Amino acid sequence: MANEVKLHSKVRDLLYKLTGITLADNKELMITNRLQKLRTKVGYNGDLEHLLTAIERGEYQTEFINSFTTNKTHFFRELFHFDDMKDRALPEIFQKQNSVSIYCSASSTGEEPYSIAMTLLTAQKENNKRNMNSSIVATDIDTDVLHFARNGVYRFRTSNKDFPAWAHPRDFFKRRADSKNESEFLIKVKDEVKRLLEFKQMNLSDSSYPFRDGEFDIVFCRNVLIYFNQDDQNKILKRLFKVLKMGGTLYLGHSENPLDLAPYVKRMGQNIFVKTRELH
Ligand SMILES: C[S@@+](CC[C@H](N)C(=O)[O-])C[C@H]1O[C@@H](n2cnc3c(N)ncnc32)[C@H](O)[C@@H]1O
């Protein structure tokens, strides 16, 4: 028992050091399960204690990080953000400039950045702005989900209710030829959608981000701050705020809030914030 407590505390310390993620107190079972899975994945023969020592020395760190991230996501999650982006944020940007730059800061398996791309293409079409120079940067710390996202192949059920009426999957995905099942099959993101996106590995806990100040018109940071303590959430929010343009929009997840940024933003809707003042 004492050994297990020590093991769990080592995992927490290591995970915090490598990613900034703070695991809640009730995650003991999850820690043990994930460590065991990790041991099988990397083919390690020793006990979990020795595996952790190896990770502390620098071995298997990527696999360790990938095992402890939570990647739950789906297309058009919190749809009202995409509606707001299509009907308010993007038309305003289209009036001022000929390019749009968007940052998706915890992109997981790709459903969120591809939903952003579908929203952008739809808004460009609706506003007669097809030839804009648009780009989306999508980052995550987990190399496995980045690999999956770059591949852009998803299992699709015809009963799927994630897609809004204005985004038909057939406009943005090709059905894989080898799919025989009529109600469930694989779909692949079309090249014209993929072309908008660049996937990169990045740790939100890094002290600075590889972007210019005010580089992005829109920043998505959804359902990731919840894994950090409040002090670190504030640090991340401030770094994201630096790369967001004045007047740009920040979308946060349903149980997240702008914390120290509150005096510098205007609330436009449920977890939708527009930057109104620079933070110095
Ligand atoms: C629950 S998913 C949310 C995905 C998407 N934003 C959404 O709302 O559906 C959280 C993602 O944050 C990523 N993540 C966790 N810690 C991170 C860190 N320190 N830096 C960058 N990404 C991180 C995880 O790998 C995971 O893919």
Side-chain angles (χ1 to χ4, degrees):
M1 187 65 185
N3 267 355
E4 207 171 324
V5 171
K6 224 169 103 194
L7 194 76
H8 289 165
S9 136
K10 249 188 182 179
V11 169
R12 286 173 197 281
D13 291 350
L14 201 49
L15 190 66
Y16 182 73
K17 191 171 138 218
L18 295 174
T19 68
I21 294 173
T22 307
L23 288 179
D25 286 341
N26 57 357
K27 298 287 180 195
E28 313 314 312
L29 191 63
M30 175 257 218
I31 294 178
T32 309
N33 286 343
R34 292 201 185 183
L35 265 186
Q36 280 166 350
K37 264 196 189 158
L38 172 65
R39 180 170 56 187
T40 310
K41 190 173 175 198
V42 299
Y44 189 79
N45 291 323
D47 61 22
L48 295 181
E49 184 75 40
H50 286 109
L51 173 60
L52 272 186
T53 310
I55 298 169
E56 280 172 329
R57 272 200 315 264
E59 291 171 61
Y60 315 120
Q61 287 193 347
T62 301
E63 293 86 349
F64 174 74
I65 293 170
N66 293 357
S67 310
F68 278 91
T69 53
T70 300
N71 310 115
K72 184 182 158 4
T73 186
H74 61 82
F75 286 110
F76 294 101
R77 182 178 193 180
E78 291 156 67
L79 175 63
F80 50 91
H81 285 168
F82 299 95
D83 285 332
D84 174 79
M85 183 181 151
K86 180 172 84 64
D87 298 331
R88 180 196 59 84
L90 288 171
E92 279 178 20
I93 297 168
F94 294 158
Q95 291 195 347
K96 290 186 281 193
Q97 52 197 69
N98 281 319
S99 65
V100 185
S101 186
I102 302 174
Y103 178 39
C104 176
S105 66
S107 55
S108 190
T109 36
E111 287 87 338
E112 184 178 58
Y114 287 125
S115 301
I116 296 171
M118 290 184 261
T119 307
L120 179 60
L121 289 171
T122 305
Q124 288 187 190
K125 193 172 159 194
E126 285 180 0
N127 292 271
N128 238 334
K129 294 278 181 185
R130 279 195 179 81
N131 296 323
M132 291 196 77
N133 208 351
S134 305
S135 62
I136 302 161
V137 179
T139 64
D140 202 285
I141 196 170
D142 180 334
T143 54
D144 287 340
V145 293
L146 283 166
H147 179 79
F148 188 98
R150 283 190 193 104
N151 196 28
V153 175
Y154 298 90
R155 186 165 296 283
F156 182 75
R157 291 187 185 89
T158 45
S159 58
N160 183 308
K161 298 264 187 299
D162 293 342
F163 288 78
W166 50 261
H168 295 291
R170 65 174 172 274
D171 293 337
F172 304 101
F173 296 86
K174 289 178 286 195
R175 183 172 163 166
R176 286 272 291 258
D178 53 357
S179 310
K180 296 207 169 48
N181 188 330
E182 279 310 309
S183 58
E184 186 177 329
F185 43 85
L186 294 178
I187 54 175
K188 186 167 174 60
V189 180
K190 287 185 180 176
D191 288 345
E192 68 232 51
V193 181
K194 243 187 196 177
R195 221 174 287 130
L196 293 171
L197 282 137
E198 186 187 3
F199 288 98
K200 292 184 190 179
Q201 192 203 13
M202 202 192 91
N203 183 353
L204 285 168
S205 293
D206 286 347
S207 56
S208 68
Y209 296 167
F211 309 119
R212 278 179 288 108
D213 289 1
E215 177 165 342
F216 299 104
D217 299 293
I218 295 175
V219 170
F220 277 75
C221 178
R222 306 190 315 159
N223 308 303
V224 61
L225 290 175
I226 43 171
Y227 299 106
F228 297 84
N229 67 39
Q230 186 155 323
D231 193 35
D232 291 335
Q233 291 188 18
N234 265 319
K235 288 184 183 151
I236 292 171
L237 280 166
K238 285 174 187 167
R239 288 191 287 267
L240 290 175
F241 207 58
K242 231 174 143 195
V243 300
L244 179 66
K245 207 173 268 178
M246 182 61 72
T249 300
L250 171 68
Y251 294 101
L252 298 179
H254 59 273
S255 46
E256 295 161 338
N257 74 75
L259 301 173
D260 286 0
L261 292 184
Y264 303 88
V265 293
K266 182 174 170 204
R267 189 178 180 277
M268 304 303 286
Q270 204 180 331
N271 284 326
I272 305 171
F273 303 94
V274 164
K275 177 170 178 173
T276 52
R277 279 169 63 199
E278 207 59 71
L279 180 76
H280 294 291

mmCIF file of all heavy atoms in Angstrom, residues 2 22 51-52 55 81 88 90 104 112 124 133 170 173 182 188 194 196 228 235 242 265 275:
data_model
loop_
_atom_site.group_PDB
_atom_site.id
_atom_site.type_symbol
_atom_site.label_atom_id
_atom_site.label_comp_id
_atom_site.label_asym_id
_atom_site.label_seq_id
_atom_site.Cartn_x
_atom_site.Cartn_y
_atom_site.Cartn_z
ATOM 1 N N ALA A 2 1.852 1.286 0.960
ATOM 2 C CA ALA A 2 2.746 2.455 1.052
ATOM 3 C C ALA A 2 3.507 2.630 -0.253
ATOM 4 O O ALA A 2 3.699 3.745 -0.735
ATOM 5 C CB ALA A 2 3.705 2.267 2.215
ATOM 6 N N THR A 22 -2.203 18.279 -13.759
ATOM 7 C CA THR A 22 -2.368 17.930 -12.346
ATOM 8 C C THR A 22 -3.474 16.882 -12.252
ATOM 9 O O THR A 22 -4.610 17.154 -12.631
ATOM 10 C CB THR A 22 -2.798 19.182 -11.532
ATOM 11 O OG1 THR A 22 -1.856 20.219 -11.819
ATOM 12 C CG2 THR A 22 -2.805 18.913 -10.056
ATOM 13 N N LEU A 51 10.125 0.988 -13.977
ATOM 14 C CA LEU A 51 9.702 1.669 -15.211
ATOM 15 C C LEU A 51 9.704 3.181 -14.984
ATOM 16 O O LEU A 51 10.206 3.959 -15.803
ATOM 17 C CB LEU A 51 8.296 1.188 -15.626
ATOM 18 C CG LEU A 51 7.656 1.934 -16.795
ATOM 19 C CD1 LEU A 51 8.506 1.833 -18.065
ATOM 20 C CD2 LEU A 51 6.246 1.399 -17.083
ATOM 21 N N LEU A 52 9.186 3.593 -13.820
ATOM 22 C CA LEU A 52 9.151 5.035 -13.518
ATOM 23 C C LEU A 52 10.552 5.625 -13.388
ATOM 24 O O LEU A 52 10.812 6.741 -13.833
ATOM 25 C CB LEU A 52 8.387 5.279 -12.221
ATOM 26 C CG LEU A 52 6.884 5.453 -12.383
ATOM 27 C CD1 LEU A 52 6.251 5.827 -11.061
ATOM 28 C CD2 LEU A 52 6.557 6.528 -13.409
ATOM 29 N N ILE A 55 11.750 6.230 -16.761
ATOM 30 C CA ILE A 55 11.123 7.430 -17.344
ATOM 31 C C ILE A 55 11.781 8.692 -16.774
ATOM 32 O O ILE A 55 12.085 9.633 -17.503
ATOM 33 C CB ILE A 55 9.592 7.429 -17.092
ATOM 34 C CG1 ILE A 55 8.950 6.224 -17.781
ATOM 35 C CG2 ILE A 55 8.956 8.717 -17.624
ATOM 36 C CD1 ILE A 55 7.501 5.967 -17.388
ATOM 37 N N HIS A 81 -20.131 27.453 -30.450
ATOM 38 C CA HIS A 81 -18.884 28.164 -30.759
ATOM 39 C C HIS A 81 -18.667 28.246 -32.271
ATOM 40 O O HIS A 81 -18.211 29.261 -32.798
ATOM 41 C CB HIS A 81 -17.691 27.454 -30.105
ATOM 42 C CG HIS A 81 -17.616 27.703 -28.626
ATOM 43 N ND1 HIS A 81 -16.797 26.994 -27.788
ATOM 44 C CD2 HIS A 81 -18.269 28.596 -27.837
ATOM 45 C CE1 HIS A 81 -16.935 27.438 -26.545
ATOM 46 N NE2 HIS A 81 -17.835 28.394 -26.553
ATOM 47 N N ARG A 88 -20.617 35.437 -36.655
ATOM 48 C CA ARG A 88 -20.170 36.721 -36.085
ATOM 49 C C ARG A 88 -18.680 36.965 -36.321
ATOM 50 O O ARG A 88 -18.310 37.908 -37.037
ATOM 51 C CB ARG A 88 -20.443 36.772 -34.564
ATOM 52 C CG ARG A 88 -20.007 38.092 -33.920
ATOM 53 C CD ARG A 88 -19.915 38.000 -32.396
ATOM 54 N NE ARG A 88 -18.961 36.980 -31.961
ATOM 55 C CZ ARG A 88 -17.643 37.178 -31.854
ATOM 56 N NH1 ARG A 88 -17.124 38.354 -32.119
ATOM 57 N NH2 ARG A 88 -16.840 36.190 -31.470
ATOM 58 N N LEU A 90 -16.092 35.457 -38.011
ATOM 59 C CA LEU A 90 -15.475 35.457 -39.351
ATOM 60 C C LEU A 90 -15.993 36.586 -40.252
ATOM 61 O O LEU A 90 -15.176 37.279 -40.874
ATOM 62 C CB LEU A 90 -15.642 34.079 -40.023
ATOM 63 C CG LEU A 90 -14.761 32.972 -39.422
ATOM 64 C CD1 LEU A 90 -15.125 31.602 -39.979
ATOM 65 C CD2 LEU A 90 -13.282 33.260 -39.640
ATOM 66 N N CYS A 104 -5.666 26.408 -32.827
ATOM 67 C CA CYS A 104 -6.392 25.417 -32.030
ATOM 68 C C CYS A 104 -5.360 24.778 -31.098
ATOM 69 O O CYS A 104 -4.493 24.029 -31.557
ATOM 70 C CB CYS A 104 -7.005 24.383 -32.984
ATOM 71 S SG CYS A 104 -7.815 23.039 -32.143
ATOM 72 N N GLU A 112 -11.671 18.696 -33.611
ATOM 73 C CA GLU A 112 -11.873 20.127 -33.365
ATOM 74 C C GLU A 112 -11.253 20.986 -34.483
ATOM 75 O O GLU A 112 -11.950 21.817 -35.073
ATOM 76 C CB GLU A 112 -11.322 20.517 -31.992
ATOM 77 C CG GLU A 112 -11.585 21.982 -31.648
ATOM 78 C CD GLU A 112 -11.080 22.349 -30.262
ATOM 79 O OE1 GLU A 112 -9.885 22.180 -29.985
ATOM 80 O OE2 GLU A 112 -11.890 22.804 -29.449
ATOM 81 N N GLN A 124 -16.518 31.279 -45.649
ATOM 82 C CA GLN A 124 -15.921 31.906 -46.838
ATOM 83 C C GLN A 124 -16.892 31.825 -48.021
ATOM 84 O O GLN A 124 -17.078 32.793 -48.748
ATOM 85 C CB GLN A 124 -14.586 31.232 -47.188
ATOM 86 C CG GLN A 124 -13.486 31.581 -46.203
ATOM 87 C CD GLN A 124 -12.102 31.070 -46.613
ATOM 88 O OE1 GLN A 124 -11.191 31.127 -45.820
ATOM 89 N NE2 GLN A 124 -11.963 30.549 -47.822
ATOM 90 N N ASN A 133 -6.638 33.880 -47.924
ATOM 91 C CA ASN A 133 -5.419 33.201 -47.515
ATOM 92 C C ASN A 133 -5.584 32.774 -46.051
ATOM 93 O O ASN A 133 -5.191 33.501 -45.155
ATOM 94 C CB ASN A 133 -4.303 34.252 -47.625
ATOM 95 C CG ASN A 133 -2.991 33.586 -47.889
ATOM 96 O OD1 ASN A 133 -2.898 32.368 -47.821
ATOM 97 N ND2 ASN A 133 -1.987 34.399 -48.164
ATOM 98 N N ARG A 170 -20.298 15.000 -46.543
ATOM 99 C CA ARG A 170 -19.884 14.646 -47.910
ATOM 100 C C ARG A 170 -19.142 15.796 -48.612
ATOM 101 O O ARG A 170 -18.403 15.586 -49.555
ATOM 102 C CB ARG A 170 -21.078 14.200 -48.757
ATOM 103 C CG ARG A 170 -22.093 15.274 -48.998
ATOM 104 C CD ARG A 170 -23.197 14.823 -49.961
ATOM 105 N NE ARG A 170 -24.234 15.836 -50.002
ATOM 106 C CZ ARG A 170 -25.253 15.915 -49.153
ATOM 107 N NH1 ARG A 170 -25.377 15.018 -48.205
ATOM 108 N NH2 ARG A 170 -26.142 16.877 -49.253
ATOM 109 N N PHE A 173 -15.434 15.336 -46.633
ATOM 110 C CA PHE A 173 -14.794 14.017 -46.465
ATOM 111 C C PHE A 173 -15.099 13.147 -47.683
ATOM 112 O O PHE A 173 -16.149 13.280 -48.299
ATOM 113 C CB PHE A 173 -15.350 13.292 -45.230
ATOM 114 C CG PHE A 173 -15.061 13.975 -43.925
ATOM 115 C CD1 PHE A 173 -15.901 14.976 -43.447
ATOM 116 C CD2 PHE A 173 -13.955 13.631 -43.169
ATOM 117 C CE1 PHE A 173 -15.649 15.620 -42.243
ATOM 118 C CE2 PHE A 173 -13.692 14.269 -41.954
ATOM 119 C CZ PHE A 173 -14.543 15.258 -41.496
ATOM 120 N N GLU A 182 -23.280 0.039 -44.883
ATOM 121 C CA GLU A 182 -24.018 1.248 -45.284
ATOM 122 C C GLU A 182 -24.277 2.221 -44.136
ATOM 123 O O GLU A 182 -24.502 3.400 -44.348
ATOM 124 C CB GLU A 182 -25.365 0.855 -45.926
ATOM 125 C CG GLU A 182 -25.257 0.438 -47.382
ATOM 126 C CD GLU A 182 -24.466 1.431 -48.248
ATOM 127 O OE1 GLU A 182 -24.763 2.640 -48.206
ATOM 128 O OE2 GLU A 182 -23.539 0.993 -48.956
ATOM 129 N N LYS A 188 -12.495 10.030 -45.015
ATOM 130 C CA LYS A 188 -11.169 10.669 -44.984
ATOM 131 C C LYS A 188 -11.316 12.142 -45.358
ATOM 132 O O LYS A 188 -12.013 12.479 -46.325
ATOM 133 C CB LYS A 188 -10.246 9.954 -45.991
ATOM 134 C CG LYS A 188 -8.814 10.446 -45.921
ATOM 135 C CD LYS A 188 -7.880 9.515 -46.689
ATOM 136 C CE LYS A 188 -6.462 10.042 -46.779
ATOM 137 N NZ LYS A 188 -5.762 10.270 -45.540
ATOM 138 N N LYS A 194 -7.662 19.655 -45.621
ATOM 139 C CA LYS A 194 -6.366 19.381 -44.981
ATOM 140 C C LYS A 194 -5.359 20.489 -45.246
ATOM 141 O O LYS A 194 -4.554 20.846 -44.389
ATOM 142 C CB LYS A 194 -5.812 18.079 -45.552
ATOM 143 C CG LYS A 194 -5.678 17.010 -44.509
ATOM 144 C CD LYS A 194 -4.979 15.830 -45.060
ATOM 145 C CE LYS A 194 -5.239 14.673 -44.121
ATOM 146 N NZ LYS A 194 -4.661 13.458 -44.594
ATOM 147 N N LEU A 196 -5.570 23.515 -45.304
ATOM 148 C CA LEU A 196 -5.672 24.693 -44.414
ATOM 149 C C LEU A 196 -4.914 24.497 -43.104
ATOM 150 O O LEU A 196 -4.632 25.449 -42.391
ATOM 151 C CB LEU A 196 -7.141 24.949 -44.043
ATOM 152 C CG LEU A 196 -8.097 25.394 -45.134
ATOM 153 C CD1 LEU A 196 -9.518 25.365 -44.598
ATOM 154 C CD2 LEU A 196 -7.734 26.806 -45.570
ATOM 155 N N PHE A 228 -5.127 21.556 -15.544
ATOM 156 C CA PHE A 228 -4.036 22.307 -14.897
ATOM 157 C C PHE A 228 -4.535 22.973 -13.616
ATOM 158 O O PHE A 228 -5.732 23.216 -13.470
ATOM 159 C CB PHE A 228 -3.532 23.408 -15.847
ATOM 160 C CG PHE A 228 -2.935 22.874 -17.117
ATOM 161 C CD1 PHE A 228 -3.726 22.534 -18.204
ATOM 162 C CD2 PHE A 228 -1.561 22.691 -17.227
ATOM 163 C CE1 PHE A 228 -3.173 22.032 -19.372
ATOM 164 C CE2 PHE A 228 -1.006 22.189 -18.390
ATOM 165 C CZ PHE A 228 -1.806 21.864 -19.460
ATOM 166 N N LYS A 235 -1.293 31.228 -16.363
ATOM 167 C CA LYS A 235 -0.068 31.401 -17.170
ATOM 168 C C LYS A 235 -0.338 31.042 -18.630
ATOM 169 O O LYS A 235 0.087 31.741 -19.551
ATOM 170 C CB LYS A 235 1.057 30.525 -16.609
ATOM 171 C CG LYS A 235 1.600 31.047 -15.295
ATOM 172 C CD LYS A 235 2.766 30.200 -14.838
ATOM 173 C CE LYS A 235 3.251 30.691 -13.479
ATOM 174 N NZ LYS A 235 3.835 29.631 -12.677
ATOM 175 N N LYS A 242 -1.416 36.698 -25.547
ATOM 176 C CA LYS A 242 -0.346 37.443 -26.223
ATOM 177 C C LYS A 242 -0.382 37.202 -27.738
ATOM 178 O O LYS A 242 -0.140 38.104 -28.529
ATOM 179 C CB LYS A 242 0.993 36.924 -25.680
ATOM 180 C CG LYS A 242 1.907 38.022 -25.226
ATOM 181 C CD LYS A 242 3.121 37.428 -24.572
ATOM 182 C CE LYS A 242 4.222 38.320 -24.988
ATOM 183 N NZ LYS A 242 5.467 38.239 -24.978
ATOM 184 N N VAL A 265 -11.209 41.336 -21.506
ATOM 185 C CA VAL A 265 -12.036 40.733 -22.548
ATOM 186 C C VAL A 265 -13.497 41.168 -22.401
ATOM 187 O O VAL A 265 -13.929 41.591 -21.326
ATOM 188 C CB VAL A 265 -11.999 39.172 -22.487
ATOM 189 C CG1 VAL A 265 -10.629 38.653 -22.845
ATOM 190 C CG2 VAL A 265 -12.452 38.648 -21.127
ATOM 191 N N LYS A 275 -11.001 40.009 -27.226
ATOM 192 C CA LYS A 275 -9.923 40.777 -26.574
ATOM 193 C C LYS A 275 -10.169 42.264 -26.765
ATOM 194 O O LYS A 275 -10.253 42.739 -27.899
ATOM 195 C CB LYS A 275 -8.587 40.365 -27.206
ATOM 196 C CG LYS A 275 -7.372 41.105 -26.699
ATOM 197 C CD LYS A 275 -6.113 40.418 -27.216
ATOM 198 C CE LYS A 275 -4.852 41.120 -26.800
ATOM 199 N NZ LYS A 275 -3.655 40.356 -27.176
#
